[in-house]
């Protein structure tokens, strides 16, 4: 770490811990006893800290830290309704609500400073405030639809949360025609009475063109679709096989019966596993992860590109990998039948699921067999005799893995880990990229085995790094806000459940609720609302525990091919192999570097998740277009003042707008998650079964509109909740004028690894 950065940290530490009031710059320098070169460095550092809002300069020229000045610095999360929230990752008091007239023209994802005015009325302790400064603009380029008149044009952003059309002078059309999908660069930011102004820098195509919507999603989230020449050139230099010289210092594990267990269409295989039963009755679990950090060295073009991307992105029709295919599908992929370099974790686990001993070391491995989730499920759950005979040498090990999986899961549940089990909806596409089927994938014992093995490996490595005191990147999940737990409790009361404490909810209390409602009609609804009530997991440079897993230590170690934080953890683990520690100089460098990597990785993870979800939602809407005019059974899974969201059994969600419910005036009762008719008293509540008619789909906005199928259907919804429902299933698309060739959507990462 250079001296200016050391001084920067000293200034922040002093202002946060010792300065009891805002100070003028001269007083601050005097109190810190700065002289000579440090005093010269002090002034530009102070300006930098103020520019980035780490410190705040008052109107009287004094400096303080925002958390002591009733200010919040964070990312502005806008909504399509005009209001938004400042996401506060520092305070335990939660986010700050910003009314539509208090945004100061902030746009979605801008970094802002907000002043907190008061607590909102009603239950909970939500803070309300106003944006007083925009620190960094996030949307310098926007994707949208171009519209024009004779003298000017404007772009309607695809992301409704941006909330501002962008004015385009006629001289800046740059070839865009009415209805074009374009990328516009903002040249003037919006003000109170003025729209943002910009220029068209790229024409993607025309609205309605094949593939244009997915291309728009990719562009909007700034997802790269190719690698630069220098990155590809470096990748080409990496050999496709390992040499004898590369085995020096590695433990040879090629004799072990290693297997990989993945989806049938997976191509980037990060992990292999094996199991042994020791003489003392304990299990020895081996988790072997591709040694990507051996090939991707720090600050090389490959490393810089991977850091910028942060993660691989698994869209509905393609994969945008973090690393070039030569690595991700080649030398770093643990393909069966070839030697590979790995980092291995051997964990001795007792009958209670405790890791009583472990080793982490570099290795060379040779995967014997590639298995799929389907094969493992058929062997273990279905007892398929043909497959059990075909893989007879592996059946004893798979049965041992099943036993250990159950032991590890029971241990997690005993300590209170929250175990959500949402089915994944996978879209099958034809050769032209059109959706032909929606498939609901439910977690089976095969997925659970990999999930539990990866979880215990991640926990073991996190605890190891914490105890040896080496800087690292951790996966953290903070405790939920009391206000959201209070709202969840209101929902639970409707189903005869209750949280005893909402101020200090423990994960075990939430897991008990899930266990009590398992198999009941309200299970999916309660689980969904509970998940939405929790905070998002993120990456941090310090260990803060993982609430959802009820884990004191957690990191991401098991997927370095597709997640940059895992690659960093690998790199840091490898650095400790020679001496067990790292130098003081390296520690100082990491103290600056790791928080930046953690923050950027969290941001790219969110962008990737949004893009993945948007492409799936797009194809769901396209798929449902063939069913306009047909009726379906569904369940109310969202209630708002403007209508009811209904989910069909195939995972498709649509809206019944309140304007279509014209037999009465309906009042939104937030505490009851319900719309209640003023005259009839009919109640539409979260979890109610309904029958709906599909009236409209809008692929561009990715929306589906329902109305109630019949008046009888409305009466049924307002009566007692049925215990059985007619399923929609995963109907294949109508095949008229369609190619019968199918392809499965691009290989998605294993659900178990998304912790």
């Amino acid at each position: 770490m250079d001296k200016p950065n050391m001084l920067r940290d000293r200034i922040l530490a002093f202002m946060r811990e010792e300065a009891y009031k805002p100070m003028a710059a001269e007083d601050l320098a005097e109190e810190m006893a700065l002289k000579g070169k440090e005093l010269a460095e002090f002034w530009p550092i102070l300006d930098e800290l103020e520019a980035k809002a780490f410190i705040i300069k008052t109107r009287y020229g004094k400096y303080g830290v925002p958390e002591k000045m009733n200010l919040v610095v964070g990312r502005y999360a806008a909504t399509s309704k005009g209001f938004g929230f400042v996401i506060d990752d520092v305070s335990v008091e939660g986010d700050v609500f910003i009314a539509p007239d208090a945004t100061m023209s902030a746009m979605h994802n801008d970094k802002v400073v907000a002043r907190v005015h008061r607590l909102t009325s009603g239950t909970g302790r939500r803070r309300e405030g106003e944006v007083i400064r925009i620190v960094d603009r996030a949307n310098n380029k926007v994707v949208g639809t171009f519209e024009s008149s004779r003298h000017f044009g404007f772009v309607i952003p695809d992301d409704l949360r941006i909330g501002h059309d962008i004015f385009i002078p006629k001289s800046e059309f740059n070839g865009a025609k009415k209805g074009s999908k374009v990328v516009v660069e903002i040249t003037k930011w919006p003000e109170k009475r003025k729209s943002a102004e910009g220029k068209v820098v790229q024409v993607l195509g025309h609205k309605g063109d094949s593939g244009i919507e997915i291309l728009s999603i990719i562009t909007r989230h700034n997802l790269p679709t190719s690698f630069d020449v220098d990155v590809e050139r470096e990748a080409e230099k990496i050999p496709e096989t390992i040499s004898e010289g590369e085995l020096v210092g590695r433990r040879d594990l090629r004799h072990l019966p290693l297997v990989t267990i993945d989806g049938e269409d997976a191509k980037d295989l990060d992990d292999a596993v094996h199991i042994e039963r020791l003489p003392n009755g304990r299990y020895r679990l081996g988790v072997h992860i591709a040694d990507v950090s051996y090939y991707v060295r720090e600050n090389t073009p490959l490393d810089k590109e991977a850091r910028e991307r942060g993660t691989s992105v698994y869209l509905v029709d393609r994969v945008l990998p973090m690393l070039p295919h030569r690595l991700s599908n080649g030398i770093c992929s643990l393909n069966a039948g070839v030697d590979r370099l790995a980092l291995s974790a051997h964990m001795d686990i007792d009958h209670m699921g405790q890791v009583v001993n472990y080793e982490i070391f570099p290795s060379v491995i040779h995967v014997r067999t590639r298995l799929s989730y389907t094969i493992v499920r058929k062997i273990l759950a279905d007892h398929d005799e043909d497959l059990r005979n075909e893989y007879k040498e592996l059946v004893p090990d798979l049965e041992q893995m099943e036993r250990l999986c159950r032991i590890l899961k029971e241990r997690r549940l005993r300590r209170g880990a929250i175990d959500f089990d949402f089915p994944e909806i996978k879209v099958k596409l034809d050769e032209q990229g059109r959706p032909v089927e929606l498939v609901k994938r439910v977690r089976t014992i095969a997925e659970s085995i990999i999930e539990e093995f990866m979880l215990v490996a991640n926990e073991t490595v996190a605890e190891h790094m914490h105890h040896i005191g080496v800087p690292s990147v951790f996966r953290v999940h903070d405790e939920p806000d009391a206000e959201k737990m209070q709202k969840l409790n209101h929902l639970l009361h409707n189903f005869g459940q209750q949280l005893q404490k909402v101020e200090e909810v423990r994960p075990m209390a939430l897991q008990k609720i899930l266990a009590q409602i398992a198999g009941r009609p309200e299970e999916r609804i309660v689980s969904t609302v509970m998940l939405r009530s929790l905070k998002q997991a993120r990456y941090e440079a310090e260990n803060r525990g993982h609430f959802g897993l009820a884990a004191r230590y957690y990191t991401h170690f098991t997927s370095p091919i597709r997640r940059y934080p895992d690659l960093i953890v690998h790199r840091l683990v490898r650095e400790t192999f020679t001496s067990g520690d790292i130098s003081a100089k390296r520690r100082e460098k990491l103290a600056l570097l790791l928080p930046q990597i953690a923050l950027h990785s969290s941001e790219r993870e969110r962008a990737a998740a949004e893009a993945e979800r948007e492409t799936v939602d797009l194809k769901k809407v396209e798929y449902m277009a063939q069913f306009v005019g047909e009726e379906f059974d569904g369940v109310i899974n969202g209630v708002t003042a403007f209508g009811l969201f209904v989910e069909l059994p195939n995972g498709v969600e649509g809206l019944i707008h309140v304007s279509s419910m014209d037999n009465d005036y309906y009042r939104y009762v937030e505490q009851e998650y319900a719309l209640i008719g003023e005259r009839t008293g009919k109640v539409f509540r979260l979890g109610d079964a309904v029958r709906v008619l599909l009236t409209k789909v809008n692929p561009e906005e990715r929306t589906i509109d329902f109305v109630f199928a019949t008046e009888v259907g409305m009466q049924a919804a307002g009566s007692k909740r049925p215990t059985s429902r007619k399923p929609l299933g995963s109907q294949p698309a109508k095949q008229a004028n369609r190619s019968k060739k199918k392809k499965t959507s691009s290989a998605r990462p294993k659900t178990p690894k998304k912790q």
Side-chain angles (χ1 to χ4, degrees), residues 410-594:
E410 287 169 6
R411 171 178 173 260
R412 278 198 309 110
L413 296 181
R414 280 198 308 272
R415 75 187 187 199
I418 307 171
D419 193 39
F420 292 111
D421 188 11
F422 292 104
E424 179 185 358
I425 305 300
K426 195 163 188 174
V427 184
K428 289 190 175 182
L429 308 175
D430 65 15
E431 293 299 327
Q432 285 72 44
R434 295 175 298 202
V436 294
E437 191 175 359
L438 303 182
V439 179
K440 185 177 287 190
R441 294 177 54 180
V442 180
R443 181 172 57 176
T444 69
I445 185 59
E447 287 85 358
S448 293
I449 286 172
I450 293 302
E451 176 180 8
E452 297 300 334
F453 289 2
M454 298 305 113
L455 286 173
V456 73
N458 285 334
E459 288 185 42
T460 299
V461 171
E463 186 170 2
H464 170 77
M465 296 301 283
H466 178 81
H467 285 318
I468 66 175
V470 172
S472 189
V473 174
F474 296 89
R475 182 70 167 175
V476 305
H477 187 217
D478 291 333
E479 295 180 3
D481 295 332
E483 180 203 2
K484 291 185 178 180
M485 289 296 99
Q486 185 69 52
K487 287 186 175 181
L488 174 63
N489 220 10
H490 282 303
L491 171 67
L492 295 176
H493 280 302
N494 295 325
F495 300 107
Q497 304 291 335
Q498 183 178 355
L499 291 170
Q500 296 301 320
K501 295 181 180 180
V502 295
E503 298 292 335
E504 297 180 1
V505 172
R506 305 311 306 153
M508 184 173 289
L510 299 178
Q511 179 55 37
K512 283 182 178 178
I513 297 291
L514 293 178
Q516 289 166 359
I517 63 170
R520 290 166 57 173
E522 65 268 23
E523 178 182 10
R524 178 65 188 273
I525 301 302
V526 171
S527 297
T528 299
V529 174
M530 187 181 292
L531 180 61
R532 292 171 181 169
S533 301
L534 299 178
K535 292 187 175 181
Q536 277 189 314
R538 66 184 189 280
Y539 297 106
E540 286 279 358
E542 61 177 306
N543 176 52
R544 297 173 58 169
H546 196 294
F547 178 85
L549 293 172
R552 291 181 61 188
Y553 313 98
Y554 196 66
T555 192
H556 274 172
F557 169 78
T558 53
S559 295
I561 292 177
R562 64 181 182 88
R563 293 188 304 222
Y564 192 71
D566 303 55
L567 175 55
I568 286 292
V569 172
H570 272 235
R571 185 173 291 155
L572 297 171
V573 168
R574 292 182 78 247
E575 289 183 29
T576 67
F577 285 152
T578 52
S579 64
D581 202 351
I582 58 177
S583 68
K585 185 176 181 180
R586 178 65 168 161
R587 284 178 177 275
E588 291 174 351
K589 182 178 180 181
L590 291 172
L592 278 180
L593 184 64
L594 295 184

Side-chain angles (χ1 to χ4, degrees), residues 303-485:
D303 180 53
K304 291 176 181 178
E305 180 70 14
R307 184 187 306 177
E308 181 61 30
R309 294 185 179 218
T311 180
S312 295
V313 187
Y314 296 80
L315 303 179
V316 71
D317 66 339
R318 73 195 76 183
V319 177
L320 305 177
M322 184 179 78
L323 297 170
H325 285 86
R326 187 177 178 91
L327 282 81
S328 60
N329 297 158
I331 191 65
C332 291
S333 186
L334 304 184
N335 303 321
V338 292
D339 293 348
R340 289 289 186 258
L341 304 183
L343 285 189
S344 295
H346 278 183
M347 296 159 284
D348 294 351
I349 304 172
D350 65 18
H351 69 286
M352 295 296 289
Q354 291 292 130
V355 178
V356 295
N357 192 28
Y358 70 87
E359 285 185 281
I360 305 169
F361 53 90
S363 62
V364 55
I365 64 173
H366 186 99
V367 172
R368 300 279 184 87
T369 310
R370 174 178 177 172
L371 298 173
S372 69
Y373 292 132
T374 301
I375 290 172
V376 174
R377 173 181 58 79
K378 288 182 177 180
I379 289 174
L380 295 178
D382 301 341
H383 293 275
D384 186 300
E385 288 303 323
D386 291 337
L387 284 175
R388 289 177 72 89
N389 185 59
E390 181 180 350
Y391 294 98
K392 59 184 178 183
E393 293 182 357
L394 293 176
V395 169
D397 281 355
L398 291 176
E399 290 176 339
Q400 294 277 28
M401 289 181 186
E402 180 179 8
R403 294 188 193 100
L404 179 57
C405 166
R406 298 191 187 283
I407 289 171
L408 290 171
K409 183 173 182 178
E410 287 169 6
R411 171 178 173 260
R412 278 198 309 110
L413 296 181
R414 280 198 308 272
R415 75 187 187 199
I418 307 171
D419 193 39
F420 292 111
D421 188 11
F422 292 104
E424 179 185 358
I425 305 300
K426 195 163 188 174
V427 184
K428 289 190 175 182
L429 308 175
D430 65 15
E431 293 299 327
Q432 285 72 44
R434 295 175 298 202
V436 294
E437 191 175 359
L438 303 182
V439 179
K440 185 177 287 190
R441 294 177 54 180
V442 180
R443 181 172 57 176
T444 69
I445 185 59
E447 287 85 358
S448 293
I449 286 172
I450 293 302
E451 176 180 8
E452 297 300 334
F453 289 2
M454 298 305 113
L455 286 173
V456 73
N458 285 334
E459 288 185 42
T460 299
V461 171
E463 186 170 2
H464 170 77
M465 296 301 283
H466 178 81
H467 285 318
I468 66 175
V470 172
S472 189
V473 174
F474 296 89
R475 182 70 167 175
V476 305
H477 187 217
D478 291 333
E479 295 180 3
D481 295 332
E483 180 203 2
K484 291 185 178 180
M485 289 296 99

Side-chain angles (χ1 to χ4, degrees), residues 164-182:
H164 301 269
D165 291 349
I166 300 161
F167 175 82
I168 310 294
K170 191 169 184 178
S171 60
E172 300 291 359
F173 286 10
N174 295 328
K177 304 295 184 184
K178 187 174 182 177
S180 295
K181 281 285 186 178
V182 300

Side-chain angles (χ1 to χ4, degrees), residues 56 66 69-74 76 85-86 96-98 102 111-117 128-135:
I56 302 295
M69 302 170 72
N70 204 35
L71 301 175
V72 172
V73 179
Y76 179 64
F85 301 87
V86 176
V96 181
F97 173 80
I98 307 295
K111 182 179 180 181
V112 302
V113 180
R115 177 178 288 117
V116 179
H117 292 319
E128 184 173 330
E130 65 172 327
V131 175
I132 63 171
R133 177 184 163 197
I134 298 170
V135 181

